[in-house]
Amino acid sequence: MQDTLAAYGGAFVDELVHSGITHVVISPGSRSTPLALLMSAHPSLNVWMHIDERSAGFFALGIAKAKNEAVALLCTSGTAAANYYPAVIEAHYDRVPLLVITADRPHELRDVGAPQAIHQVDLFGKYPKWFADMSLPEESSHMIIYARKMAARAAAATLTAPAGPVHLNFPFREPLIPNLALPSLWENGRQKRQQYTTVLEGKNSLSNYQFDQLMKEINGKCGLIVCGPDYNNQYIQAVTALSETLKFPILADPLSQLRSGSHDKRWVIESYDAFLKEETVSTTLKPEVIIRFGAMPVSKAFLLYIKKHPACRQIIVDEGKGWREPTLLASEMIYTNPETFCEGLIESIHKNENGQAQSTNWGQQWLSINEKAKEVLELKSETNLFFEGQVFPELTKLLPPNSTLFVGNSMPVRDLDTFFLTNELNVRTMANRGANGIDGIISSALGASTNGEPLVLVIGDLSFYHDLNGLLAAKLHELTITIIVLNNDGGGIFSFLPQSKESEHFEKLFGTPIGLDFEHTVTMYNGNFTRVSSWEDFRSVVKESLSGKGLNVIEVPTDRNDNAVKHHEIWEAVKKAAKSTLLGAENS
């Protein structure tokens, strides 16, 4: 039996590595022993141990997101597997390639009251792209080929557009210890293969005729390019070139990777969330065509802007053949590679007689309003009070080039949208925007930190509390991360919502102050904790943290009510400036 486990399981693990999987996150357990030992023994596989499966799932998700590659997860049977569920949901909606591997009881021990035996077939419902209940280990040549084929198919399925989670369920009978000394188990760092499969995926593209027709219909229109959250920056040069060719402004989501870097940012509009809140501006700037790449932007003001102009032609470009279109107003869904789409449309324009798009005053209006809005944002965000939005202008001055800036949901990602303006730093921005949840943020950021770049996480106190177990990874694996906790003692985002008017029940149901001193927890995980009392303090501590190693947590204490008032003050100032700029341009 030990030889059977080694041959079957070893073939599977080795084929995973051959298929491009080099990282696996393992949580300890008995039933998963065969694969855990074989994964640990493979010389080309990086093993990350994480005791809490819930945090482990998000940790693997962070690695996959940062490295743009599939990552495997392994746990034992029972509710251990169920704890992966939130991360599987996030991977599904955020299109992150995760290969979830769960150990299970053999079929004769299912539904008979055996311990740690829950119903694991299709455990994660519709969220995985593919599920397979693996066969029991056998040593025949046919079953060794089967193990390899399933590994190759699963690894490819996670990455094939749209990327996402895949679930393989492995039943094992006892004994569970494979023979790691099996002759020729690893041959030159790789198990001797009998057969394997390579999966290749090409780029979809429109025909030349389709590009020409589209070009004729949108050339010279009042158009916008919208770039939503995207962690792969391969199409940045192509989309900025398309913008320059069409003279279409780019509304760049803070997670689009278009706000920071050395690429051409002339047409990048980053303060649209602030100035589209102004009624006159959002009504007057009437688009005729919108081309959108990536997921729906964070900005609610943009969503309302689209709904205000239902006659606008909306073209959604989606390589993954999904339907990320919550407005219900899209005119076309174009399933093609974004880079290929941009290049094809540019080529079509260049084939025209004049070789360029027809000129309009449309783009200049957006550029002028954006510049004025940025001036107001930069001026108004500077304050001696601890205003949460100021964290991002401060970090823009402090972060070294090529850093990663991970943000939590609720207010941090919205403040990133408002206050993270264009720069040359090449800062990579990340968040878990698939399901927009506040769970697993610490773990995802720590997973992303394994990519080797300086990483800063900005997170609210409730999100920090939700994933305190995730801090163990920093201690176990000696990871380096700077975590900035915006501590307003509760759910700050609710101060901006209608619930805030229900004063009698607000604090109990929505404000939910927890009154925790996080210093004790951070110390428990061998981290450094600092509670700052001024922006000068903040700058000094962040600089020290970025030049050091290990876990560093910086708490910024803020007041929820003051924070809401300051936000509204800034938005009103931006709206006033934007309206004045628009009307001034129209009257000139």
Side-chain angles (χ1 to χ4, degrees), residues 497-553:
L497 301 178
Q499 292 94 316
S500 62
K501 303 294 190 296
E502 301 295 330
S503 57
E504 183 180 352
H505 307 285
F506 179 76
E507 282 298 294
K508 176 183 177 181
L509 298 177
F510 305 105
T512 58
I514 54 178
L516 295 179
D517 186 345
F518 294 122
E519 181 174 5
H520 308 296
T521 302
V522 174
T523 302
M524 181 174 70
Y525 289 114
N526 290 352
N528 300 308
F529 179 90
T530 306
R531 184 178 293 109
V532 296
S533 57
S534 68
W535 286 116
E536 184 178 356
D537 229 7
F538 177 83
R539 295 171 196 127
S540 175
V541 174
V542 170
K543 285 179 183 177
E544 183 179 355
S545 176
L546 290 173
S547 63
K549 295 289 184 182
L551 169 64
N552 292 285
V553 178

XYZ file of all heavy atoms in Angstrom, residues 497-553:
457
model
N -23.554 55.862 5.089
C -24.753 55.223 4.549
C -26.005 55.686 5.280
O -25.932 56.261 6.380
C -24.599 53.704 4.651
C -23.381 53.108 3.920
C -23.323 51.607 4.132
C -23.414 53.448 2.442
N -27.181 55.442 4.704
C -28.436 55.889 5.328
C -28.637 55.374 6.753
O -29.323 56.014 7.552
C -29.502 55.335 4.379
C -28.822 55.234 3.059
C -27.409 54.851 3.371
N -28.010 54.234 7.075
C -28.164 53.684 8.428
C -27.693 54.661 9.506
O -28.119 54.579 10.668
C -27.351 52.380 8.565
C -27.885 51.237 7.745
C -27.204 51.150 6.396
O -27.012 52.161 5.734
N -26.852 49.949 5.977
N -26.775 55.564 9.127
C -26.219 56.487 10.114
C -27.280 57.410 10.704
O -27.094 57.985 11.780
C -25.104 57.318 9.474
O -25.606 58.112 8.412
N -28.409 57.558 10.012
C -29.484 58.423 10.504
C -30.278 57.755 11.632
O -31.004 58.408 12.364
C -30.442 58.771 9.355
C -29.773 59.443 8.156
C -29.237 60.822 8.505
C -28.793 61.576 7.263
N -27.681 60.964 6.550
N -30.145 56.436 11.758
C -30.879 55.704 12.796
C -30.054 55.724 14.083
O -29.456 54.725 14.490
C -31.156 54.269 12.349
C -31.957 54.163 11.071
C -33.365 54.721 11.224
O -33.909 54.666 12.343
O -33.920 55.224 10.217
N -30.009 56.868 14.730
C -29.101 57.081 15.863
C -29.369 56.138 17.031
O -28.449 55.746 17.750
C -29.177 58.535 16.330
O -30.516 58.879 16.673
N -30.625 55.761 17.237
C -30.953 54.921 18.399
C -30.317 53.535 18.315
O -29.920 52.950 19.326
C -32.476 54.793 18.522
C -32.908 53.988 19.744
C -34.428 53.872 19.857
O -35.142 54.540 19.063
O -34.893 53.111 20.723
N -30.205 53.014 17.096
C -29.710 51.642 16.932
C -28.366 51.573 16.197
O -27.827 50.476 16.020
C -30.737 50.808 16.144
C -32.110 50.842 16.720
N -32.460 50.150 17.851
C -33.232 51.507 16.323
C -33.739 50.366 18.133
N -34.231 51.185 17.221
N -27.851 52.720 15.766
C -26.691 52.719 14.875
C -25.462 52.048 15.498
O -24.856 51.155 14.896
C -26.341 54.145 14.448
C -25.141 54.211 13.541
C -25.241 53.844 12.203
C -23.902 54.614 14.018
C -24.138 53.882 11.367
C -22.796 54.653 13.190
C -22.914 54.287 11.858
N -25.078 52.472 16.686
C -23.845 51.947 17.285
C -23.937 50.443 17.551
O -22.984 49.697 17.305
C -23.521 52.684 18.582
C -22.906 54.049 18.371
C -21.578 53.986 17.649
O -20.610 53.447 18.218
O -21.504 54.449 16.494
N -25.089 50.004 18.020
C -25.255 48.589 18.345
C -25.200 47.703 17.108
O -24.566 46.640 17.120
C -26.587 48.386 19.070
C -26.921 46.934 19.379
C -28.296 46.808 20.025
C -28.654 45.357 20.270
N -29.998 45.217 20.877
N -25.857 48.120 16.020
C -25.999 47.263 14.842
C -24.975 47.523 13.741
O -24.648 46.616 12.968
C -27.417 47.426 14.255
C -28.574 47.022 15.161
C -29.898 47.302 14.475
C -28.466 45.550 15.537
N -24.468 48.757 13.645
C -23.605 49.096 12.517
C -22.246 49.668 12.942
O -21.218 49.296 12.406
C -24.317 50.099 11.598
C -25.663 49.622 11.138
C -26.834 50.140 11.676
C -25.759 48.621 10.179
C -28.082 49.690 11.264
C -26.991 48.150 9.756
C -28.153 48.691 10.300
N -22.252 50.569 13.906
C -20.981 51.121 14.383
C -20.120 50.038 15.015
O -18.911 49.988 14.814
N -20.735 49.159 15.776
C -20.107 47.991 16.413
C -18.688 48.244 16.932
O -17.732 47.604 16.492
C -20.082 46.783 15.453
O -19.374 47.144 14.257
C -21.483 46.340 15.098
N -18.512 49.160 17.870
C -17.172 49.372 18.438
C -16.715 48.126 19.191
O -17.495 47.500 19.915
C -17.381 50.561 19.380
C -18.841 50.538 19.719
C -19.537 50.030 18.491
N -15.450 47.762 19.003
C -14.949 46.545 19.656
C -13.946 46.854 20.766
O -13.668 46.002 21.603
C -14.319 45.577 18.628
C -13.238 46.274 17.797
C -15.390 44.998 17.721
C -12.546 45.358 16.802
N -13.376 48.048 20.761
C -12.531 48.477 21.863
C -11.359 47.569 22.170
O -10.998 47.360 23.325
N -10.720 47.015 21.128
C -9.603 46.099 21.339
C -8.262 46.815 21.224
O -8.092 47.727 20.409
C -9.645 44.961 20.307
C -10.834 44.010 20.380
C -10.739 42.968 19.272
C -10.895 43.314 21.738
N -7.317 46.377 22.041
C -5.943 46.866 21.944
C -5.146 45.824 21.173
O -4.812 44.762 21.692
C -5.358 47.064 23.338
C -3.966 47.716 23.302
O -3.366 47.744 22.204
O -3.499 48.179 24.344
N -4.861 46.124 19.902
C -4.220 45.136 19.030
C -2.744 44.915 19.353
O -2.133 43.985 18.832
C -4.357 45.560 17.565
C -5.771 45.560 17.063
C -6.351 46.713 16.547
C -6.528 44.406 17.108
C -7.656 46.708 16.077
C -7.836 44.391 16.637
C -8.402 45.552 16.122
N -2.179 45.740 20.196
C -0.744 45.613 20.499
C -0.417 44.243 21.069
O 0.601 43.635 20.739
C -0.314 46.701 21.474
C 1.177 46.650 21.814
C 1.629 47.817 22.669
O 0.762 48.632 23.082
O 2.846 47.925 22.911
N -1.304 43.729 21.930
C -1.048 42.430 22.567
C -1.004 41.307 21.532
O -0.159 40.415 21.597
C -2.137 42.141 23.606
C -2.334 43.245 24.594
N -1.358 43.635 25.479
C -3.400 44.070 24.831
C -1.803 44.630 26.223
N -3.040 44.920 25.846
N -1.914 41.350 20.574
C -1.955 40.312 19.542
C -0.731 40.382 18.650
O -0.125 39.350 18.323
C -3.226 40.468 18.689
O -4.375 40.390 19.522
C -3.285 39.385 17.628
N -0.359 41.579 18.232
C 0.805 41.742 17.356
C 2.069 41.246 18.047
O 2.901 40.556 17.442
C 0.954 43.225 16.928
C 2.244 43.421 16.136
C -0.244 43.662 16.104
N 2.198 41.556 19.326
C 3.355 41.092 20.094
C 3.390 39.567 20.164
O 4.455 38.941 20.087
C 3.318 41.682 21.518
O 3.304 43.104 21.438
C 4.530 41.234 22.318
N 2.221 38.951 20.301
C 2.129 37.492 20.363
C 2.693 36.839 19.099
O 3.252 35.748 19.147
C 0.668 37.090 20.557
C 0.433 35.592 20.666
S -1.282 35.195 21.065
C -2.116 35.629 19.543
N 2.562 37.538 17.973
C 3.066 36.999 16.711
C 4.458 37.541 16.371
O 4.868 37.545 15.201
C 2.086 37.322 15.579
C 0.795 36.536 15.658
C -0.422 37.179 15.908
C 0.786 35.152 15.500
C -1.611 36.471 15.974
C -0.394 34.428 15.576
C -1.587 35.088 15.817
O -2.757 34.372 15.894
N 5.173 38.029 17.385
C 6.550 38.533 17.227
C 6.627 39.760 16.321
O 7.627 39.988 15.644
C 7.484 37.450 16.678
C 7.744 36.350 17.688
O 7.344 36.464 18.853
N 8.399 35.283 17.257
N 5.542 40.541 16.275
C 5.541 41.742 15.453
C 5.820 42.994 16.264
O 5.801 42.984 17.502
N 6.099 44.079 15.555
C 6.298 45.379 16.181
C 5.021 46.202 16.019
O 4.474 46.286 14.922
C 7.467 46.116 15.532
C 8.766 45.347 15.649
O 9.146 44.937 16.739
N 9.448 45.133 14.533
N 4.570 46.811 17.097
C 3.341 47.596 17.069
C 3.626 49.028 17.487
O 4.298 49.269 18.493
C 2.299 46.990 18.009
C 0.996 47.754 18.067
C -0.037 47.440 17.191
C 0.808 48.794 18.974
C -1.237 48.136 17.236
C -0.386 49.491 19.028
C -1.413 49.167 18.154
N 3.107 49.993 16.689
C 3.257 51.410 17.030
C 1.933 52.118 16.814
O 1.326 51.991 15.744
C 4.333 52.085 16.159
O 5.555 51.351 16.240
C 4.568 53.518 16.618
N 1.505 52.852 17.819
C 0.304 53.685 17.684
C 0.769 55.128 17.525
O 1.357 55.701 18.446
C -0.601 53.538 18.904
C -1.919 54.299 18.794
C -2.784 54.067 20.029
N -3.236 52.681 20.130
C -2.798 51.808 21.039
N -1.887 52.172 21.928
N -3.263 50.560 21.078
N 0.563 55.703 16.352
C 1.102 57.038 16.080
C 0.128 58.118 16.571
O -1.078 57.878 16.701
C 1.394 57.230 14.575
C 2.480 56.270 14.121
C 0.137 57.035 13.733
N 0.672 59.313 16.819
C -0.147 60.401 17.349
C -0.100 61.646 16.482
O -0.758 62.642 16.795
C 0.310 60.757 18.768
O 1.689 61.102 18.775
N 0.667 61.610 15.394
C 0.736 62.760 14.485
C 1.208 62.272 13.118
O 1.758 61.166 12.986
C 1.708 63.812 15.018
O 3.050 63.326 14.979
N 1.015 63.095 12.091
C 1.478 62.712 10.763
C 3.004 62.672 10.715
O 3.584 61.863 9.981
C 0.931 63.679 9.715
C -0.528 63.466 9.447
C -1.554 64.337 9.674
C -1.130 62.259 8.929
N -2.755 63.766 9.337
C -2.537 62.495 8.864
C -0.635 61.026 8.525
C -3.426 61.531 8.410
C -1.530 60.062 8.080
C -2.903 60.307 8.015
N 3.642 63.525 11.474
C 5.113 63.475 11.541
C 5.562 62.131 12.105
O 6.503 61.504 11.621
C 5.612 64.619 12.417
C 7.136 64.716 12.474
C 7.620 65.882 13.320
O 6.767 66.658 13.803
O 8.843 66.012 13.487
N 4.855 61.699 13.139
C 5.084 60.380 13.727
C 4.883 59.288 12.682
O 5.683 58.350 12.556
C 4.056 60.181 14.848
C 4.698 59.694 16.118
O 5.926 59.640 16.172
O 3.938 59.389 17.068
N 3.779 59.390 11.968
C 3.413 58.410 10.944
C 4.528 58.272 9.903
O 4.948 57.157 9.569
C 2.108 58.842 10.272
C 1.660 57.961 9.140
C 0.956 56.797 9.376
C 1.948 58.312 7.822
C 0.540 55.983 8.323
C 1.537 57.510 6.766
C 0.831 56.339 7.018
N 5.019 59.392 9.382
C 6.057 59.358 8.354
C 7.322 58.687 8.861
O 7.934 57.868 8.173
C 6.358 60.777 7.878
C 5.186 61.450 7.175
C 5.434 62.923 6.913
N 4.185 63.609 6.587
C 3.734 64.693 7.201
N 4.464 65.263 8.177
N 2.580 65.238 6.854
N 7.689 59.027 10.086
C 8.908 58.458 10.662
C 8.797 56.950 10.842
O 9.707 56.191 10.484
C 9.189 59.131 12.012
O 10.284 58.524 12.650
N 7.662 56.492 11.365
C 7.473 55.061 11.641
C 7.366 54.264 10.338
O 7.923 53.165 10.223
C 6.226 54.843 12.519
C 5.948 53.350 12.693
C 6.398 55.505 13.864
N 6.655 54.815 9.332
C 6.529 54.114 8.053
C 7.898 53.981 7.380
O 8.238 52.913 6.848
C 5.536 54.837 7.128
C 5.585 54.244 5.717
C 4.117 54.726 7.674
N 8.685 55.046 7.391
C 10.028 54.984 6.799
C 10.868 53.905 7.472
O 11.559 53.123 6.815
C 10.720 56.336 6.934
C 10.224 57.406 5.986
C 10.969 58.721 6.213
C 10.438 59.823 5.316
N 11.121 61.117 5.589
N 10.809 53.868 8.792
C 11.575 52.862 9.539
C 11.100 51.460 9.208
O 11.905 50.531 9.033
C 11.446 53.131 11.032
C 12.275 52.189 11.897
C 12.136 52.502 13.384
O 11.476 53.499 13.735
O 12.684 51.727 14.200
N 9.788 51.295 9.122
C 9.226 49.982 8.812
C 9.634 49.507 7.421
O 9.996 48.341 7.233
C 7.703 50.030 8.919
O 7.135 48.798 8.543
N 9.574 50.406 6.434
C 9.897 50.031 5.055
C 11.370 49.683 4.881
O 11.739 48.986 3.936
C 9.515 51.165 4.108
C 8.007 51.388 3.922
C 7.745 52.633 3.100
C 7.358 50.181 3.258
N 12.199 50.154 5.772
C 13.630 49.843 5.677
C 14.012 48.627 6.506
O 15.162 48.194 6.500
C 14.464 51.045 6.132
O 14.219 51.332 7.504
N 13.027 48.072 7.230
C 13.312 46.940 8.090
C 12.723 45.636 7.590
O 12.315 45.508 6.434
N 12.672 44.659 8.480
C 12.154 43.335 8.159
C 11.056 42.955 9.149
O 10.875 43.587 10.182
C 13.283 42.289 8.219
C 14.368 42.480 7.182
C 13.874 42.138 5.786
C 14.978 42.224 4.756
N 14.489 41.934 3.397
N 10.342 41.893 8.816
C 9.362 41.332 9.729
C 8.015 42.005 9.693
O 7.684 42.777 8.788
N 7.188 41.688 10.690
C 5.825 42.197 10.809
C 5.825 43.513 11.570
O 6.252 43.577 12.731
C 4.960 41.164 11.538
C 3.568 41.607 11.993
C 2.689 41.947 10.791
C 2.914 40.521 12.861
N 5.351 44.562 10.909
C 5.259 45.882 11.539
C 3.838 46.403 11.386
O 3.346 46.562 10.258
C 6.240 46.855 10.888
C 7.686 46.487 11.170
O 8.179 46.703 12.261
N 8.352 45.892 10.189
N 3.171 46.655 12.502
C 1.800 47.144 12.500
C 1.771 48.573 13.045
O 2.271 48.836 14.145
C 0.876 46.241 13.341
C -0.543 46.803 13.376
C 0.873 44.823 12.776
